[in-house]
Amino acid sequence: YGLVGSEMCIRDRFGIKGGLNITDMSLSNDVFETSNRTGFFIGPTIKFTLPIVGLGIDASALYDQREGEVNVEADDNTLVSTRLKQKSINIPINLRYDIGLGSLAAVYLAAGPQFGFNVGDKNQSLYKDVAEWRLNTSNFSVNVGAGVMLLGHLQVGANYNIVCGKTGEITVLDGAESVLRGRSNTWQISAAYYF
C-alpha cells in the first residue's frame, strides 16, 4: 500500500509490538525508598517508510503496565514494601533512521514523543493509609532507542523512556500534609512483527 506521486512513494506496514518495562522510580524526597520493578506492554504498531533513503516514522498504541516499589517506614521502624501499579495507553511516535546491512538486516535509531493516558487506579494507598499515591491522568515523555530489523518483518530493539514532568504525587497524611513528586523513567526491551 502506498501514496504515489510523480517520484514519491510512502510505504506503510502494520504489525504487533510487545515487550518488557524496567521502571526506575524516583521521588523528590528520601523519606521513602524506591526500587526498580518490571512490567510489560503490547499493542498494534505501524511503520511508514519515507521516500528519503533510510528515514521513516513508527507509531503504536500500547497497553502499558509499570510497577514501582516504595518502602515505607512502619511504626516499629521496619520497612514495609508497597507496589505501585500504573496502567496506561501509551502512544509513541518516533522518527527513525534505518541503515541497511544487506537484504537480511538493518540497524535503526529512533527518537520521539510519547503521549500516555492512565486507565488504571489513579489513587493507591500506602501502608495503613499513611500516604496516598496519586497518578496524573495523562503524561508526556520522550523515547530514545535503537535496534535491528531482520528479514524485513521482525524488529528487536531497546529504548529509554524519559518522563517530562511528574508521573504522580505521594501525599503523606501526617497531620501537616506534605507532597512528594514522583517520576518513573523506564528502560524498554521490545519485539515487533510487521506483516
Side-chain angles (χ1 to χ4, degrees):
Y1 175 81
L3 300 173
V4 181
S6 55
E7 296 280 329
M8 181 174 94
C9 180
I10 298 176
R11 293 177 305 169
D12 58 22
R13 305 207 34 201
F14 295 93
I16 186 148
K17 183 177 187 178
L20 176 70
N21 287 323
I22 302 169
T23 302
D24 176 20
M25 187 174 186
S26 62
L27 297 172
S28 61
N29 191 310
D30 294 332
V31 172
F32 296 96
E33 294 179 12
T34 62
S35 59
N36 296 349
R37 298 295 300 177
T38 58
F40 68 93
F41 58 92
I42 190 164
T45 187
I46 187 169
K47 180 175 72 155
F48 298 96
T49 303
L50 302 176
I52 301 167
V53 175
L55 201 59
I57 295 171
D58 66 46
S60 304
L62 304 172
Y63 173 78
D64 188 297
Q65 182 171 302
R66 302 178 185 193
E67 286 187 6
E69 188 168 288
V70 177
N71 296 318
V72 182
E73 191 172 312
D75 301 332
D76 59 358
N77 294 328
T78 60
L79 290 178
V80 177
S81 295
T82 302
R83 288 186 188 179
L84 300 176
K85 284 191 178 182
Q86 178 183 6
K87 298 175 184 177
S88 58
I89 300 297
N90 287 334
I91 303 171
I93 303 169
N94 296 313
L95 182 64
R96 57 186 287 153
Y97 184 71
D98 289 66
I99 303 163
L101 303 174
S103 61
L104 298 179
V107 173
Y108 72 89
L109 303 172
Q114 178 171 289
F115 306 92
F117 305 94
N118 288 318
V119 294
D121 293 336
K122 294 177 183 64
N123 297 323
Q124 299 171 43
S125 66
L126 303 176
Y127 183 66
K128 297 182 180 178
D129 298 326
V130 169
E132 182 180 57
W133 171 246
R134 281 195 305 255
L135 287 167
N136 292 348
T137 55
S138 63
N139 59 65
F140 176 77
S141 57
V142 175
N143 289 315
V144 178
V148 63
M149 187 80 172
L150 302 169
L151 304 173
H153 294 282
L154 180 63
Q155 176 181 291
V156 179
N159 73 278
Y160 191 58
N161 177 251
I162 306 160
V163 175
C164 300
K166 64 183 179 184
T167 305
E169 295 177 339
I170 290 181
T171 303
V172 182
L173 310 171
D174 57 359
E177 189 174 284
S178 58
V179 176
L180 311 176
R181 291 181 306 279
R183 297 171 56 125
S184 55
N185 296 335
T186 305
W187 283 101
Q188 296 180 313
I189 301 167
S190 66
Y193 187 84
Y194 291 95
F195 301 102

